[in-house]
Amino acid sequence: MNAPIGLTGTLPGDARSRVRSADRIGDGVLYGLCMLASLLAVVTLGAIAYKVIDGASASISQFGLGFLTHSAWRPNFGIFGAGTFLYGTAVTSFAALLLAVPLGISIGLYLSMMASRRVRGVIGPLVEMLAAIPSVILGFWGILVFGPFLQAHLEPFLHRTLGFLPIFGAPSSTGSGLFNASLILTIMVVPIIASLSRDLFLAVPQELQEGATALGATRWEVLRGVVLPSAASGVAAAAFLGLGRALGEAIAVTQVIGAGDFIHVSLFQTGDTLASRIADQYQGAATPQLVASLFYLGLILMVIGLIANIAAQWIARRFDVGRVAAR
Amino acid sequence: MTDPDDPDVTPREASDPSDAALQATAELDSLSLLAEDLLDPSGPLTPSGHLRRRQMVSRLAEAAQTTAAVLAVAVLGILVYSVASRGASVLSIGFLTKDPPVLSGVAGGGIAPAIVGTALIMAVATAIAMPMGILAALFLTEFAGRWTARAIRLALDLLNGLPTIVVGLFVFGLLVVGHHQSGFAGSVALAIIMLPLIARATQEVLTLVPAGLREAADALGVCHWRTVLGVVLPTARGGILTATVLAVARAAGETAPLIFVCSIFSNTTSLNLFGQALPNIPVYIFNASEAAERYGFARAWGAAFVLLAFILLASLGGRALGRRATLSR
Amino acid sequence: MRPPDPSEMPATGASNVRPRVRIQTPALAHEAAQAAANARPTDALRGSPRGEQDSALTVGREAIFDVQDLSVSYGSSQAISGVTLQIHRNLITAIIGPSGCGKTTFIRSLNRMNDSVPGFTIDGKILYHGHDIYDRGVDRVEVRRRIGMVFQRPNPFPKSIYDNVAWAPRNLKMKSGLDERVERALRGAALWDEVKDRLKDSALGLSGGQQQRLCIARAIAIQPDVLLLDEPASALDPIATAAIEELMQTLKNRYTIVIVTHNMQQAARVADRTAFFNLDASDGRRTGVLVEYGDTDVMFTRPADTRTSDYVTGRFG
Ligand SMILES: Nc1ncnc2c1ncn2[C@@H]1O[C@H](COP(=O)(O)OP(=O)(O)OP(=O)(O)O)[C@@H](O)[C@H]1O
Ligand SMILES: [Mg+2]
């Protein structure tokens, strides 16, 4: 198989250099193309940041940072503020994480520690499939199936039993609202945290678990004492990735949150998030002022989304979260 | 100090104190004479006292984990069932081949324009994102130094983590403001979503290409680009295909990037990628869900069924492909 | 490997006839007598392996483990077959034999560490103080709480030195005097002086030998009855190995110790009794069998079985 070497060895000098220069050109072209493609990714990221800031600039110069705290949004009167949407984003994302983190970790533990290899091979992909459901379908289901169920059953129940907490006020009239949005976001975030934490738990050395088991620990003590702490930073990173997802989800939230203009304490009332308000106004983006203010919302969203993702990357420096997130 | 009901506690201090050996190790022992230590090694091995409680906690925790997994699968089942049962009732050949009725509030009709539009938009998006993603992955594995690779990987990951509505705003500002919505703008937006997915997953399979193969090619004096095109890429073919199929499955359902750039469309089949917004399934469902009209809902369920079936089959198929590719290595 | 010179042998007789430190309560003595009484006829029936006869070491000593005709399989492949032996209180019992003969399998069966291995099945009986540890109703957590284990590769938890030792006592609700308990365990493992100033540091910063002693400290912090050591020194340098061996001699006053070792000299140096396992390929499949079991000096100087003498003198079959 070393014919090529022998061949080039016997070629006359100029022929050899012709082959070499062709190769050099080929190498150069390949390198150039690859570099351009990589550069394109970086440039796209930069261009997105630039375009969003640029689009928002009119609104930024008009409203300044007061935009963040001002809570009225009246396009017809030229009044714009992101306060209501920041509140809605914070509440729905926080509620979604509050549910999704324990659920996701539990599923991760089940898949990695309890399920047999075969069961894991079935349930794992099913859970990941939950993440593959398009948000527009999830939101559509949220309006027509889930919302009526919440309104008829879960909201009255929570109001009856936990109604002394102001967040569980009177049930909504349609099933749309912060509560529905939080639960839909939970459904989206759980598979992210579950599949990431499953991978993390599977990577915890068997020796550590055996060491703990041999000390007369119950299974749960082994998980709590050794498995969870060993994977803690990765799980935290997964939670931040999930947060990034929850913050940024526009479509499903728009569909189920009810497009409210006011801050309500009760989760059963309507509201809006940054992303859902942008999506909500897609066809009415008529005046330049409204467009600029939507870009301003987008800018805020981009910044907090980037912070959540950078936090995830930074927390799990040793562990390549992006790899799993890009699956 | 200790539970009064702990049966493990049996007084051992009472044993013969005159024993010389006991005295000799008294120092070591004195510390251990905490009542809770006094294990009777020959006692029965059944759980008692503390242990019974600990085991109960453990079993509860395991039950909770199982419940969580069952819950996730149940939610998937309910979702798929909801879509399938409602979508199946409108599904027919006509539904896939007809235009929607011109007027709202009318039953019947189909979603053919949206199917064609989505197919076209996705094809163009894939044609942009796939070569770019593969080249970027090649750069990461074949050429980039450590720090460059790290920076590009970070850019890809941040691009992937960016809220998709922001990508929509970007393409809106880039291609639509001052012009008009178009199917092409939609393709660009979806290509931006797909690029990091393909690049990262391809990079993954490229790093799995056995170093031996590469070395063998290098040892033959084959230059780098021939090695890459002739050895590295063909070996990773299966993995790259999987990555692309999964990225397609993910992007096909994306709505947020499209609503600003490809959402105001007439419901007739069109192949005009640049001149006008192309109808597409995700925005069709979104519009129907906002319009709140029952025949529109029915068609939207049908559209959701078509989209979901495509996506689930694609992601299942992609996974199966990936598994085969891994096994054959 | 040359046969160990008898003059190098540890003064086993002298150190082992020392009276037991732990005085048995009458109840315990009764149990022990019963267990012994139970065991004898079975041995006679099965024809116990050579070396199983009473020796000066075992006479009057309680048999902690009474293993009867033990066979272990992983799926369809049998790892050990027909092992019958007794392990006696406060002695160091070494398990030696060639690689793959089932030493690890055997020792892990003694505290049910194999339960989670897929395909693991067991035949025969392991009586621990007269209780079959594989009986229904037996809690394996309780079994492992009494029978501690140290593994071949040091496996400290990624926690502080203190927390490594305090972890199991906390689980077991032995919370009073925790500092004292940690100190005692670390002293017991001859590690205290080296780590007393950095108890809050990560255990992963310790050397391999220190890590292994930490694992021993971790095991004795909950005052088990038996310590199982699976090649505890094989990943360590000679100095760390010597430290562990010396440690074992102190520990055996309080614990019954079973040690697996690849190293014949180590067995000769530390063990009171030695069991030799070998691979038996007579029926076409290779399974581990117990060839010979007896006092260490007998095993190394005048073994009854030629396979044993071949192995201990380095002449393999
Ligand atoms: N978890 C397992 N699953 C399947 N087979 C196993 C498992 N562990 C051990 N075996 C098999 O059982 C037999 C005995 O293995 P074991 O580890 O007990 O031997 P060993 O005497 O400890 O060897 P070594 O000296 O190399 O540690 C071997 O054939 C091994 O391949
Ligand atoms: Mg072994």
Side-chain angles (χ1 to χ4, degrees), chain A residues 114 217-223, chain B residues 51-65, chain C residues 141:
Chain A
M114 286 180 72
T218 63
R219 284 181 65 130
W220 169 240
E221 284 159 358
V222 176
L223 298 185
Chain B
L51 180 56
R52 202 171 304 162
R53 224 164 309 147
R54 288 165 58 214
Q55 286 287 31
M56 204 144 75
V57 171
S58 187
R59 263 178 231 124
L60 276 178
E62 291 193 341
Q65 290 157 26
Chain C
V141 171

Short mmCIF file of all heavy atoms in Angstrom, two decimals, chain A residues 114 217-223, chain B residues 51-65, chain C residues 141:
data_model
loop_
_atom_site.label_atom_id
_atom_site.label_comp_id
_atom_site.label_asym_id
_atom_site.label_seq_id
_atom_site.Cartn_x
_atom_site.Cartn_y
_atom_site.Cartn_z
N MET A 114 -31.90 3.58 38.41
CA MET A 114 -32.89 2.55 38.72
C MET A 114 -33.23 1.69 37.52
O MET A 114 -33.31 0.47 37.63
CB MET A 114 -34.19 3.21 39.21
CG MET A 114 -34.11 3.77 40.60
SD MET A 114 -35.69 4.50 41.05
CE MET A 114 -36.67 3.00 41.25
N ALA A 217 -24.91 2.25 53.36
CA ALA A 217 -25.83 3.33 53.02
C ALA A 217 -26.99 2.77 52.20
O ALA A 217 -26.81 1.83 51.43
CB ALA A 217 -25.11 4.41 52.22
N THR A 218 -28.16 3.36 52.39
CA THR A 218 -29.30 2.96 51.55
C THR A 218 -29.11 3.56 50.16
O THR A 218 -28.26 4.43 49.95
CB THR A 218 -30.62 3.47 52.13
OG1 THR A 218 -30.59 4.90 52.14
CG2 THR A 218 -30.84 2.95 53.53
N ARG A 219 -29.91 3.11 49.22
CA ARG A 219 -29.75 3.62 47.85
C ARG A 219 -29.91 5.11 47.78
O ARG A 219 -29.16 5.81 47.11
CB ARG A 219 -30.78 2.94 46.93
CG ARG A 219 -30.39 1.54 46.58
CD ARG A 219 -31.42 0.94 45.65
NE ARG A 219 -31.43 1.66 44.38
CZ ARG A 219 -31.37 1.06 43.21
NH1 ARG A 219 -31.31 -0.23 43.14
NH2 ARG A 219 -31.39 1.76 42.10
N TRP A 220 -30.90 5.61 48.49
CA TRP A 220 -31.13 7.05 48.46
C TRP A 220 -29.95 7.80 49.09
O TRP A 220 -29.53 8.84 48.62
CB TRP A 220 -32.44 7.40 49.16
CG TRP A 220 -32.63 8.86 49.40
CD1 TRP A 220 -32.79 9.48 50.59
CD2 TRP A 220 -32.67 9.90 48.39
NE1 TRP A 220 -32.92 10.83 50.40
CE2 TRP A 220 -32.85 11.12 49.06
CE3 TRP A 220 -32.54 9.90 47.00
CZ2 TRP A 220 -32.93 12.33 48.40
CZ3 TRP A 220 -32.61 11.11 46.33
CH2 TRP A 220 -32.82 12.31 47.03
N GLU A 221 -29.38 7.23 50.16
CA GLU A 221 -28.23 7.89 50.79
C GLU A 221 -27.04 7.93 49.83
O GLU A 221 -26.29 8.90 49.81
CB GLU A 221 -27.86 7.16 52.09
CG GLU A 221 -28.82 7.48 53.22
CD GLU A 221 -28.81 6.45 54.35
OE1 GLU A 221 -28.06 5.45 54.24
OE2 GLU A 221 -29.55 6.64 55.31
N VAL A 222 -26.89 6.87 49.05
CA VAL A 222 -25.81 6.87 48.06
C VAL A 222 -26.06 7.97 47.02
O VAL A 222 -25.15 8.73 46.67
CB VAL A 222 -25.70 5.50 47.36
CG1 VAL A 222 -24.65 5.55 46.26
CG2 VAL A 222 -25.37 4.41 48.36
N LEU A 223 -27.30 8.06 46.56
CA LEU A 223 -27.61 9.09 45.56
C LEU A 223 -27.40 10.49 46.13
O LEU A 223 -26.76 11.33 45.52
CB LEU A 223 -29.07 8.94 45.09
CG LEU A 223 -29.43 7.63 44.40
CD1 LEU A 223 -30.86 7.69 43.89
CD2 LEU A 223 -28.48 7.35 43.25
N LEU B 51 -32.87 1.92 60.74
CA LEU B 51 -32.71 1.41 59.38
C LEU B 51 -34.06 1.29 58.69
O LEU B 51 -34.18 1.60 57.50
CB LEU B 51 -31.98 0.07 59.39
CG LEU B 51 -31.77 -0.53 58.01
CD1 LEU B 51 -31.04 0.44 57.10
CD2 LEU B 51 -31.01 -1.83 58.09
N ARG B 52 -35.06 0.88 59.45
CA ARG B 52 -36.36 0.75 58.81
C ARG B 52 -36.83 2.11 58.30
O ARG B 52 -37.33 2.24 57.20
CB ARG B 52 -37.38 0.16 59.80
CG ARG B 52 -38.54 -0.49 59.08
CD ARG B 52 -39.42 -1.25 60.03
NE ARG B 52 -38.70 -2.25 60.80
CZ ARG B 52 -39.16 -2.79 61.92
NH1 ARG B 52 -40.32 -2.40 62.41
NH2 ARG B 52 -38.46 -3.71 62.57
N ARG B 53 -36.57 3.13 59.11
CA ARG B 53 -36.93 4.49 58.69
C ARG B 53 -36.12 4.90 57.47
O ARG B 53 -36.63 5.48 56.52
CB ARG B 53 -36.69 5.46 59.84
CG ARG B 53 -37.80 6.46 60.03
CD ARG B 53 -37.69 7.13 61.40
NE ARG B 53 -37.57 6.16 62.49
CZ ARG B 53 -36.88 6.38 63.61
NH1 ARG B 53 -36.24 7.50 63.79
NH2 ARG B 53 -36.82 5.45 64.55
N ARG B 54 -34.82 4.61 57.52
CA ARG B 54 -33.96 5.01 56.39
C ARG B 54 -34.39 4.31 55.11
O ARG B 54 -34.42 4.90 54.04
CB ARG B 54 -32.50 4.67 56.70
CG ARG B 54 -31.89 5.59 57.76
CD ARG B 54 -30.61 5.00 58.31
NE ARG B 54 -29.63 4.76 57.28
CZ ARG B 54 -28.76 3.76 57.28
NH1 ARG B 54 -28.75 2.89 58.27
NH2 ARG B 54 -27.90 3.62 56.30
N GLN B 55 -34.73 3.04 55.24
CA GLN B 55 -35.15 2.31 54.05
C GLN B 55 -36.47 2.87 53.52
O GLN B 55 -36.70 2.89 52.32
CB GLN B 55 -35.32 0.82 54.36
CG GLN B 55 -34.00 0.08 54.54
CD GLN B 55 -33.27 -0.14 53.23
OE1 GLN B 55 -33.38 0.65 52.30
NE2 GLN B 55 -32.49 -1.21 53.15
N MET B 56 -37.31 3.33 54.43
CA MET B 56 -38.58 3.87 53.98
C MET B 56 -38.34 5.15 53.19
O MET B 56 -38.92 5.35 52.12
CB MET B 56 -39.48 4.17 55.19
CG MET B 56 -40.94 4.17 54.85
SD MET B 56 -41.86 3.50 56.21
CE MET B 56 -41.80 4.85 57.37
N VAL B 57 -37.46 6.00 53.72
CA VAL B 57 -37.11 7.23 53.00
C VAL B 57 -36.57 6.87 51.61
O VAL B 57 -36.93 7.45 50.59
CB VAL B 57 -36.06 8.04 53.78
CG1 VAL B 57 -35.52 9.19 52.94
CG2 VAL B 57 -36.65 8.56 55.07
N SER B 58 -35.69 5.87 51.60
CA SER B 58 -35.08 5.48 50.33
C SER B 58 -36.13 5.00 49.35
O SER B 58 -36.11 5.36 48.17
CB SER B 58 -34.05 4.37 50.60
OG SER B 58 -33.33 4.08 49.44
N ARG B 59 -37.06 4.20 49.85
CA ARG B 59 -38.09 3.68 48.94
C ARG B 59 -39.01 4.79 48.46
O ARG B 59 -39.41 4.80 47.30
CB ARG B 59 -38.88 2.57 49.64
CG ARG B 59 -38.34 1.21 49.24
CD ARG B 59 -39.05 0.09 49.94
NE ARG B 59 -38.03 -0.75 50.53
CZ ARG B 59 -37.95 -1.08 51.81
NH1 ARG B 59 -38.86 -0.63 52.65
NH2 ARG B 59 -36.97 -1.82 52.23
N LEU B 60 -39.29 5.73 49.36
CA LEU B 60 -40.12 6.87 48.94
C LEU B 60 -39.42 7.65 47.83
O LEU B 60 -40.03 8.03 46.84
CB LEU B 60 -40.38 7.79 50.13
CG LEU B 60 -41.53 7.39 51.04
CD1 LEU B 60 -41.64 8.36 52.21
CD2 LEU B 60 -42.83 7.40 50.23
N ALA B 61 -38.11 7.86 48.02
CA ALA B 61 -37.36 8.61 47.01
C ALA B 61 -37.40 7.88 45.69
O ALA B 61 -37.58 8.49 44.62
CB ALA B 61 -35.92 8.81 47.48
N GLU B 62 -37.24 6.56 45.74
CA GLU B 62 -37.26 5.80 44.49
C GLU B 62 -38.64 5.84 43.84
O GLU B 62 -38.76 5.95 42.62
CB GLU B 62 -36.84 4.36 44.75
CG GLU B 62 -35.37 4.28 45.11
CD GLU B 62 -34.84 2.86 45.07
OE1 GLU B 62 -35.65 1.90 45.12
OE2 GLU B 62 -33.63 2.71 45.00
N ALA B 63 -39.65 5.79 44.69
CA ALA B 63 -41.00 5.87 44.14
C ALA B 63 -41.20 7.22 43.46
O ALA B 63 -41.81 7.31 42.38
CB ALA B 63 -42.03 5.66 45.25
N ALA B 64 -40.68 8.27 44.09
CA ALA B 64 -40.82 9.60 43.50
C ALA B 64 -40.11 9.68 42.15
O ALA B 64 -40.63 10.25 41.19
CB ALA B 64 -40.26 10.66 44.46
N GLN B 65 -38.92 9.07 42.08
CA GLN B 65 -38.19 9.09 40.81
C GLN B 65 -38.96 8.35 39.72
O GLN B 65 -39.07 8.83 38.59
CB GLN B 65 -36.80 8.47 40.99
CG GLN B 65 -35.87 9.32 41.83
CD GLN B 65 -34.76 8.52 42.46
OE1 GLN B 65 -34.37 7.47 41.95
NE2 GLN B 65 -34.25 8.99 43.57
N VAL C 141 -28.46 -3.65 53.41
CA VAL C 141 -27.84 -2.46 54.01
C VAL C 141 -27.32 -2.81 55.40
O VAL C 141 -26.21 -2.41 55.78
CB VAL C 141 -28.85 -1.30 54.05
CG1 VAL C 141 -28.31 -0.15 54.86
CG2 VAL C 141 -29.20 -0.86 52.65
#
